[in-house]
């Protein structure tokens, strides 16, 4: 059983073990220099500090122990971290929260722990980091995947190839959780005809713990050991068991560790089975019926939906659900149909499959979307659960997502924000609301952007050259790759998941037109692209192939790069350095989107359709709008090739007539003052609005504290209020048909 105490580190370097295991400190300013100094090649390829410490030689460690600057840097971090952990956070000073359990199928915290696929996981990772910063008493619950999501490699023709490397727990920044007797903690859950044993691991995220469960235990059968092999396992049965593990296994793990969350937050519907596990546990503790327990516990359950279309939720065949739910329904005194009804579109729609999101909404008192527009869409999706309610009164609110700024801003941005603080502040305590970025001179802002762009280009060249080397390119081609792009040229970023509604290839709708824009002699433009498609998404894979092949065109190879395997490390550099971030989803299919938020603190500007967060953020002073303004949820022009052609033409027009001229319109000092004015407005007004701090404070104030208060009220005195509510509901159901209006 591994432990970081097993690492033998020389005097003065002991703090490296704590730094390597704390996933809050994956920000570039804190980590890069330290780990590059230890092993530059391993850091470049893995971004895994814990792996570096495990494999570095004793002689190299002893040599580094003589580096006074390194020892001072480690000591300074330890002192800052000790002070940070000792001080009460914002939440502790203002609220009465005991414990919040945050359940998510994926967490994107660092490349050192690759258990995420995209935006949902990145949001979950930022949620934990922000909770740590603000002192919110939160624990995360997820799954540890042996393979996780795939890693992307491109074939010779540009086609996407998926690789599934093994996640060796011994090389990940996690530790096994021990039971009270010092042995390994195991959780046992019941499946048809057998028990499933789950191991529990702990990852540290500042003040916050993330507990991860996996089924790769020798006590399980080979088939069961593979249940947690990959993120979002294919096939209904495997996916259903994964969600049982997350919800039921996650609740049992918390209970066995003595953690009693007063609020359970489901980040998407995958964890909905925690509704049943929590009610079942309450039923036994209080000696009440399951229905009474559900009325008590649902007051403390929170469901955040991220899906803008009903088809995006996991749905299961009802017979399959009954097969796996039989043990739990029997123990709770329920009939299998009672559970099925909780996941149907309407209580009388017996023809529809079981929808996991409807179970989550049935078992929660607080439901929210992740942007203003997404809340409107969600009201329409879930209206069937509220028959006879007007759509605008369906009880779904919204808390727009935010990003953990210290993770995503560049060292140059952190220095600029620190200088703009009204009082002295370091990168760990910047007040973005009080920052006076607008008071910085145009020349200082422009110099800062030049440094950020150069940092990105240096990184892109290194990654591009390594990519070509791995593909067997010649030494001449690799050397050429090290000199592509120009630090003084307008740099556009376009990276996301490749799928139909995101229209990932819209920018390439007319390739010849795009080439003419990129190769303009007087006002050149360069483009950095990245995209990953789900292995089963054929259309998405074609988008990836088109983007990769476009980057290989001889007439643009010096100014267009497609970087493989879009990951956290690439995002941290790409979104910190680009001048313009383009986003082209079909409204209203982007629930929120956070990639464009990550450029805000870094001085990048957004050009996007009016979808997700941009629907509430856009105004001409801070960026550009692709398409028309309007209050309609869906654009009047509809979808399809005609809409894509129209939007592509408008995109090229915006670039040629507005964006590019503004960037190259310089004053006597060589500064594009009108462009810088947009940067200042965007940084000043949008950065704090779309930060993780604002998001977390809203969750605490609007959701967590009210949910905690409501749960305490219903649960006290042996669930007296919950029992009264059950009786009230029964009377209403029995007497409703006799109600008359006259």
């Amino acid at each position: 059983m591994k432990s970081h105490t097993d690492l033998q580190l020389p005097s003065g370097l002991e703090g490296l073990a704590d730094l390597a295991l704390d996933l809050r400190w994956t920000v570039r300013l804190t980590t890069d220099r330290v780990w590059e100094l230890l092993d530059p090649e391993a850091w470049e390829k893995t971004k895994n500090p814990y792996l570096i410490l495990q494999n570095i030689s004793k002689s190299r460690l002893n040599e580094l122990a003589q580096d006074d600057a390194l020892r001072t840097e480690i000591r300074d971090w330890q002192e800052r971290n000790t002070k940070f952990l000792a001080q009460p956070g914002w939440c502790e000073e203002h609220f009465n929260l005991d414990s919040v359990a945050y359940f998510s199928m994926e967490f994107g915290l660092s490349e050192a722990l690759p258990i995420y696929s995209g935006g949902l996981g990145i949001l979950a990772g930022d949620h934990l980091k922000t909770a740590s910063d603000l002192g919110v008493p939160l624990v995360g619950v997820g799954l540890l995947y042996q393979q996780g999501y795939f890693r992307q490699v491109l074939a010779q023709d540009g086609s996407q190839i998926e690789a599934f490397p093994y996640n060796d727990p011994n090389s990940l920044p996690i530790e096994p959780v021990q039971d009270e007797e010092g042995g390994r903690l195991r959780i046992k859950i019941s499946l048809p005809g057998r028990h499933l044993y789950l191991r529990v691991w702990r990852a540290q995220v500042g003040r916050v713990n993330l507990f991860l469960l996996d089924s790769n235990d020798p006590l399980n059968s080979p088939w069961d050991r593979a249940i947690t092999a990959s993120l979002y396992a294919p096939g209904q049965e495997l996916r259903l068991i994964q969600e049982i593990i997350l919800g039921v296994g996650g609740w049992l793990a918390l209970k066995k560790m003595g953690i009693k969350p007063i609020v359970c937050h489901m980040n998407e519907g995958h964890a909905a089975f925690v509704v049943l596990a929590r009610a079942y546990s309450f039923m036994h503790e209080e000696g009440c019926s399951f229905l009474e327990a559900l009325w008590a516990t649902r007051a403390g359950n929170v469901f955040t939906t991220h899906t803008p279309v009903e088809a995006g939720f996991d749905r299961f065949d009802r017979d399959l659900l009954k097969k796996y739910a039989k043990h739990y329904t029997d123990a709770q005194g329920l009939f299998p149909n009672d559970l099925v009804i909780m996941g149907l579109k309407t209580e009388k729609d017996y023809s529809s499959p079981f929808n996991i999101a409807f179970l989550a909404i049935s078992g929660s008192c607080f439901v929210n979307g992740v942007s203003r527009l997404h809340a409107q869409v969600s009201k329409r999706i879930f209206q069937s659960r509220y028959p006879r309610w007007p759509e605008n009164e369906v009880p779904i609110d919204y808390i727009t997502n935010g990003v953990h700024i210290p993770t995503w801003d560049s060292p140059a941005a952190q220095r600029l924000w620190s200088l703009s603080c009204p009082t002295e502040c370091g990168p760990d305590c910047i007040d973005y609301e009080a920052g006076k970025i607008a008071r910085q001179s145009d020349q200082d802002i422009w110099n800062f952007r030049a440094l950020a762009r150069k940092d990105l280009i240096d990184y892109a060249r290194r990654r591009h050259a390594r990519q070509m080397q791995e593909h067997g390119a010649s030494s001449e081609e690799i050397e050429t790759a090290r000199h592509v792009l120009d630090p003084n040229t307008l740099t556009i970023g376009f990276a996301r998941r490749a799928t139909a509604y995101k229209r990932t290839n819209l920018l390439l709708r007319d390739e010849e037109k795009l080439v003419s824009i990129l190769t303009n002699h007087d006002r050149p433009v360069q483009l950095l692209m990245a995209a990953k498609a789900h292995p089963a998404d054929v259309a998405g894979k074609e988008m990836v192939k088109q983007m990769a092949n476009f980057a290989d065109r001889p007439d643009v190879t010096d100014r267009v790069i497609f970087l493989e395997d879009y990951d956290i490390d690439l995002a941290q550099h790409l979104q910190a350095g680009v001048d313009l971030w383009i986003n082209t989803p079909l409204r209203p299919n982007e629930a929120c989107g956070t990639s464009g938020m990550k450029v805000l603190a870094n001085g990048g500007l957004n050009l996007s359709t009016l979808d997700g967060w941009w629907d509430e953020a856009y105004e001409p002073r801070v960026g550009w709008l692709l398409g028309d303004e309007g209050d309609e949820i869906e654009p009047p022009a509809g979808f399809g090739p005609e809409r894509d052609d129209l939007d592509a033409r408008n995109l090229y027009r915006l670039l040629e007539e507005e964006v590019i001229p503004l960037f190259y319109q310089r004053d006597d000092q060589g500064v594009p003052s009108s462009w810088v004015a947009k940067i200042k407005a965007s940084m000043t007004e949008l950065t704090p609005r779309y930060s993780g701090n604002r998001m977390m404070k809203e969750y605490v104030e609007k959701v967590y504290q009210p949910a905690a208060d409501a749960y305490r009220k219903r649960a006290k005195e042996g669930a007296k209020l919950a029992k009264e509510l059950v009786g009230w509901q029964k009377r209403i159901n029995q007497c409703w048909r006799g109600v008359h209006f006259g």
Side-chain angles (χ1 to χ4, degrees):
M1 188 179 298
K2 69 159 188 167
S3 170
H4 78 280
T5 56
D6 297 334
L7 295 171
Q8 302 298 318
L9 298 173
S11 176
L13 301 186
E14 300 93 342
L16 284 175
D18 292 326
L19 178 58
L21 282 167
D22 193 336
L23 294 168
R24 162 59 178 83
W25 299 102
T26 55
V27 298
R28 292 167 55 198
L29 189 62
T30 305
T31 59
D32 275 14
R33 200 194 78 81
V34 173
W35 305 115
E36 283 176 357
L37 191 61
L38 266 66
D39 191 331
E41 183 179 6
W43 178 245
E44 178 75 17
K45 290 183 176 180
T46 70
K47 291 297 186 286
N48 187 339
Y50 193 64
L51 181 66
I52 291 174
L53 284 188
Q54 287 180 310
N55 291 280
I56 193 169
S57 67
K58 289 186 178 180
S59 60
R60 177 60 177 156
L61 283 172
N62 290 331
E63 179 185 344
L64 291 167
Q66 308 306 313
D67 187 328
D68 292 336
L70 176 62
R71 292 172 61 176
T72 299
E73 189 164 345
I74 295 170
R75 185 174 62 252
D76 289 346
W77 173 80
Q78 285 182 297
E79 292 174 355
R80 294 200 318 271
N81 194 44
T82 300
K83 182 179 179 181
F84 162 72
L85 294 175
Q87 291 177 336
W90 166 84
C91 184
E92 298 165 274
E93 293 179 336
H94 296 92
F95 295 89
N96 178 28
L97 273 178
D98 296 328
S99 178
V100 177
Y102 183 81
F103 293 78
S104 181
M105 191 65 96
E106 52 177 295
F107 287 90
L109 288 156
S110 163
E111 282 311 303
L113 189 61
I115 54 170
Y116 70 96
S117 68
L120 181 71
I122 299 297
L123 182 277
D126 281 11
H127 200 87
L128 298 194
K129 292 175 184 177
T130 308
S132 171
D133 290 354
L134 296 180
V136 180
L138 184 143
V139 296
V141 181
L143 303 184
L144 179 65
Y145 304 99
Q146 290 99 294
Q147 296 174 340
Y149 204 52
F150 74 93
R151 309 311 297 254
Q152 182 193 61
V153 181
L154 295 182
Q156 192 68 30
D157 66 350
S159 300
Q160 173 180 290
I161 300 173
E162 295 89 27
F164 297 89
Y166 174 61
N167 287 336
D168 181 4
N170 290 308
S171 65
L172 302 178
I174 56 177
E175 295 182 294
V177 176
Q178 297 181 339
D179 59 24
E180 294 177 350
E181 299 176 355
R184 179 168 219 145
L185 178 64
R186 279 185 171 88
I187 305 302
K188 182 173 70 173
I189 65 174
S190 296
L191 297 180
R194 67 196 190 278
H195 293 300
L196 180 70
Y197 295 91
L198 304 170
R199 304 185 298 183
V200 185
W201 305 82
R202 184 185 73 91
Q204 184 180 349
V205 189
R207 291 185 174 105
V208 169
N209 286 321
L210 168 61
F211 296 104
L212 302 169
L213 289 76
D214 85 284
S215 66
N216 190 23
D217 190 293
L219 296 178
N220 294 325
S221 69
W223 193 90
D224 283 348
R225 292 184 69 172
I227 290 172
T228 56
S230 59
L231 177 59
Y232 302 128
Q236 277 202 4
E237 190 162 10
L238 268 179
R239 182 75 67 87
L240 177 61
I241 300 174
Q242 281 191 344
E243 297 186 1
I244 291 172
I245 291 173
L246 178 61
V248 177
W251 175 263
L252 293 177
L254 294 177
K255 187 177 178 182
K256 203 162 186 178
M257 290 184 289
I259 299 171
K260 298 180 179 179
I262 197 166
V263 175
C264 286
H265 185 173
M266 292 166 275
N267 187 43
E268 201 40 274
H270 309 116
F273 288 112
V274 73
V275 168
L276 306 179
R278 185 181 189 184
Y280 179 66
S281 177
F282 187 93
M283 178 181 74
H284 281 274
E285 291 170 0
E286 299 297 334
C288 59
S289 71
F290 177 77
L291 190 57
E292 291 166 343
L294 183 61
W295 268 89
T297 56
R298 74 187 297 269
N301 292 337
V302 177
F303 170 43
T304 296
T305 171
H306 295 257
T307 306
V309 291
E310 186 181 336
F313 296 118
D314 285 344
R315 293 176 290 181
F316 301 102
D317 179 80
R318 296 194 319 236
D319 290 335
L320 178 65
L321 179 75
K322 290 177 182 178
K323 170 186 173 182
Y324 279 90
K326 188 176 188 303
H327 167 79
Y328 301 100
T329 54
D330 289 349
Q332 295 161 358
L334 297 173
F335 294 105
N337 279 339
D338 295 332
L339 172 58
V340 169
I341 288 172
M342 294 178 71
L344 298 183
K345 189 170 185 177
T346 68
E347 292 187 359
K348 296 181 180 180
D349 182 15
Y350 295 108
S351 63
S352 64
F354 180 87
N355 187 318
I356 197 71
F358 288 124
L359 172 60
I361 203 170
S362 297
S364 302
C365 268
F366 295 84
V367 182
N368 71 280
V370 290
S371 71
R372 181 180 62 193
L373 179 61
H374 181 234
Q376 298 176 42
V377 174
S378 298
K379 287 174 184 287
R380 178 179 297 180
I381 292 173
F382 291 115
Q383 188 179 20
S384 62
R385 296 295 300 189
Y386 302 89
R388 299 177 298 275
W389 286 49
E391 182 180 303
N392 65 341
E393 293 184 17
V394 172
I396 297 176
D397 204 344
Y398 74 93
I399 294 178
T400 304
N401 287 339
V403 298
H404 184 247
I405 298 175
T407 294
W408 301 106
D409 60 357
S410 68
Q414 289 182 4
R415 287 191 292 270
L416 184 71
W417 282 101
S418 297
L419 291 172
S420 302
C421 280
T423 58
E424 183 178 349
C425 61
D428 306 329
C429 57
I430 295 173
D431 184 351
Y432 294 94
E433 293 186 17
K436 305 298 181 183
I437 290 293
R439 296 182 182 177
Q440 297 290 322
S441 70
D442 287 1
Q443 186 70 59
D444 287 342
I445 294 290
W446 188 235
N447 290 342
F448 143 68
R449 283 298 309 144
L451 287 173
R453 192 185 312 111
K454 182 180 184 303
D455 180 57
L456 167 61
I457 289 171
D458 289 344
Y459 171 85
R461 287 170 173 173
R462 293 194 306 271
R463 185 155 175 157
H464 183 45
R466 188 177 79 238
Q467 183 174 303
M468 294 192 66
Q469 188 174 16
E470 292 170 351
H471 282 272
S474 67
S475 56
E476 292 80 6
E477 290 172 324
I478 295 170
E479 185 61 26
T480 300
R482 292 193 174 103
H483 297 88
V484 296
L485 306 179
D486 181 352
N488 299 309
T489 293
L490 172 62
T491 304
I492 296 175
F494 192 84
R496 57 197 30 86
R497 182 163 54 93
T499 193
Y501 82 84
K502 288 182 180 287
R503 300 191 295 182
T504 315
N505 60 344
L506 185 70
L507 188 59
L508 308 181
R509 191 81 177 168
D510 184 343
E511 291 191 9
E512 299 308 318
K513 180 64 175 177
L514 180 59
V515 168
S516 70
I517 293 173
L518 295 171
T519 56
N520 183 294
H521 182 268
D522 297 322
R523 299 183 304 194
V525 180
Q526 54 198 16
L527 176 63
L528 277 75
M529 300 185 293
K532 293 175 78 170
H534 187 278
D537 188 344
V538 176
K541 287 185 173 183
E542 282 300 313
M543 293 179 187
V544 171
K545 185 176 181 179
Q546 182 185 0
M547 295 168 75
N549 287 333
F550 179 78
D552 280 341
R553 286 182 53 146
D555 48 356
V556 295
T557 52
D558 62 334
R559 64 194 67 207
V560 179
I561 290 180
F562 182 90
L563 294 170
E564 294 176 349
D565 201 31
Y566 186 33
D567 58 12
I568 289 176
D569 182 52
L570 173 54
Q572 284 181 314
H573 287 83
L574 186 60
Q575 288 153 333
V578 295
D579 297 297
L580 182 71
W581 188 257
I582 294 180
N583 193 28
T584 56
L586 277 169
R587 176 185 170 97
N589 290 278
E590 187 82 271
C592 179
T594 58
S595 61
M597 296 179 188
K598 299 181 181 90
V599 309
L600 298 175
N602 293 290
L605 299 176
N606 281 275
L607 188 164
S608 175
T609 52
L610 205 64
D611 202 6
W613 74 283
W614 196 238
D615 176 69
E616 59 196 72
Y618 167 73
E619 57 175 292
R621 295 187 310 111
V622 298
W624 290 271
L625 170 64
L626 175 59
D628 301 320
E629 293 188 66
D631 296 326
E632 302 90 349
I633 289 182
E634 296 182 2
F639 306 145
E642 296 80 8
R643 179 72 192 189
D644 292 346
D645 289 339
L646 175 63
D647 283 347
R649 288 195 298 270
N650 285 334
L651 177 56
Y652 299 138
R653 181 192 59 77
L654 277 171
L655 291 174
E656 284 191 306
E657 297 179 10
E658 297 186 33
V659 176
I660 298 171
L662 199 70
F663 182 86
Y664 285 105
Q665 183 181 326
R666 309 294 170 87
D667 61 17
D668 295 340
Q669 305 300 316
V671 176
S673 54
S674 297
W675 183 278
V676 171
K678 277 186 178 286
I679 292 177
K680 287 182 177 181
S682 175
M683 293 182 75
T684 302
E685 298 173 23
L686 299 187
T687 300
R689 278 174 60 188
Y690 297 100
S691 71
N693 280 8
R694 186 273 312 156
M695 174 187 70
M696 182 59 67
K697 288 179 178 180
E698 285 194 33
Y699 270 111
V700 172
E701 295 168 350
K702 295 182 178 181
V703 179
Y704 292 164
Q705 188 66 62
D709 294 341
Y711 170 74
R712 291 189 186 106
K713 188 175 180 180
R714 291 192 187 186
K716 70 180 182 180
E717 299 180 32
K720 178 184 176 182
L721 177 57
K723 292 175 181 178
E724 292 174 355
L725 289 170
V726 170
W728 169 82
Q729 183 189 36
K730 288 181 178 178
R731 289 192 300 275
I732 290 292
N733 291 340
Q734 291 168 356
C735 302
W736 185 252
R737 292 187 180 185
V739 174
H740 298 277
F741 293 92

